Amino acid sequence: MAFKAHPKGLRLGRMESWDSRGFYEKNFASWLEEDFKIREFLKEKFDPLALERIEIERSPGKINLIINTPRPGLIIGRGGQDVEKLKEEIENKILKRKGELRIEVREVKNPWLSATLVAKWMAQQIEKRVPYRRVLKQALARVSSQKGVQGVRVQLQGRLDGVEIARKEWLQWGRLPRQTLRSDIDYGEATAFCTYGTVGAKVWIYKGEKFE
């Protein structure tokens, strides 16, 4: 069996940045636990397609929570009321030390350029019993038609359509140089929970090369 590295693992520090950033030296274990609970709380509270990426920045006495979403109105609410309620819930249920918590909501303008959101969409379609071939073709067509996309690969793996033997099916369009570290490849994955088991969805989107 081959060993596979995460597509973003080798690009951290150069092409990609960590989702949790800040001063973690003193209370690494407790703050890492808080970050995990914050992400799990948000995933349970909001629809999967409403969350693309959750970033946490820590400085002495301050926590900056950045929520990247294609539906900012769902999180902000009227006049920012929902954000204030969300802030109070996180402070009361999760945070051990009382500090300044700031929530920033960033809009994802084009969800079809985000590999994470595309993978979550594919997983939702599989849970709705849509045939997997249609899901693969629709996802590939929608992503490949976006401006700036040079290559894409969509993949589903598991008991597809409820068959007894699990297998992997994928479609690819354009270039996808995954071995080149300067390649700007967005990667996302999601899991569909069906009555016959789980089906994994993976998406790679190639957007060109970065030389900085």
Side-chain angles (χ1 to χ4, degrees):
M1 199 174 205
F3 292 94
K4 297 181 181 179
H6 194 282
K8 292 185 179 179
L10 297 175
R11 293 173 173 84
L12 283 171
R14 295 183 179 180
M15 304 281 297
E16 301 285 340
S17 61
W18 297 94
D19 288 342
S20 294
R21 303 181 291 272
F23 300 91
Y24 281 79
E25 289 82 3
K26 293 184 179 181
N27 302 311
F28 179 80
S30 61
W31 288 357
L32 186 64
E33 182 183 4
E34 283 185 3
D35 292 354
F36 177 80
K37 289 181 178 179
I38 289 173
R39 290 190 171 93
E40 290 299 314
F41 173 76
L42 293 176
K43 289 177 182 178
E44 292 178 1
K45 188 175 182 64
F46 297 106
D47 186 85
L49 287 178
L51 298 174
E52 188 224 14
R53 186 180 181 187
I54 301 170
E55 302 175 66
I56 301 175
E57 296 177 344
R58 288 182 180 268
S59 59
K62 296 181 181 180
I63 302 175
N64 187 26
L65 179 61
I66 304 172
I67 303 175
N68 298 272
T69 172
R71 304 175 185 174
L74 182 65
I75 299 175
I76 297 174
R78 288 188 176 181
Q81 295 179 357
D82 292 350
V83 172
E84 294 299 325
K85 292 180 182 178
L86 180 64
K87 180 180 177 182
E88 292 178 0
E89 290 181 0
I90 294 176
E91 287 179 341
N92 296 331
K93 295 180 180 180
I94 300 175
L95 298 183
K96 298 179 181 179
R97 62 186 185 93
K98 298 299 179 180
E100 182 182 349
L101 174 63
R102 179 174 175 268
I103 298 179
E104 179 182 350
V105 180
R106 295 180 181 175
E107 182 182 3
V108 179
K109 296 183 179 180
N110 191 350
W112 295 107
L113 289 177
S114 170
T116 301
L117 293 177
V118 175
K120 289 181 178 180
W121 177 84
M122 293 172 61
Q124 280 197 351
Q125 295 298 305
I126 293 297
E127 290 177 349
K128 294 178 182 177
R129 298 179 181 271
V130 179
Y132 74 92
R133 291 188 186 277
R134 185 188 303 173
V135 175
L136 288 173
K137 290 180 180 179
Q138 288 182 352
L140 186 73
R142 293 184 181 183
V143 176
S144 61
S145 64
Q146 304 302 316
K147 185 178 179 180
V149 175
Q150 299 184 18
V152 58
R153 174 186 170 116
V154 291
Q155 176 179 300
L156 291 171
Q157 185 171 2
R159 292 182 60 187
L160 303 177
D161 289 345
V163 298
E164 291 189 6
I165 300 177
R167 68 185 188 278
K168 182 197 310 180
E169 295 287 343
W170 56 273
L171 293 176
Q172 183 171 327
W173 171 86
R175 297 179 58 231
L176 197 68
R178 285 178 287 177
Q179 73 280 2
T180 307
L181 293 181
R182 63 172 177 264
S183 299
D184 184 10
I185 298 178
D186 189 16
Y187 170 78
E189 58 185 16
T191 304
F193 296 92
C194 307
T195 56
Y196 47 80
T198 60
V199 175
K202 294 183 178 181
V203 178
W204 293 260
I205 300 178
Y206 175 52
K207 304 176 183 178
E209 295 184 349
K210 287 185 178 179
F211 296 92
E212 297 180 357

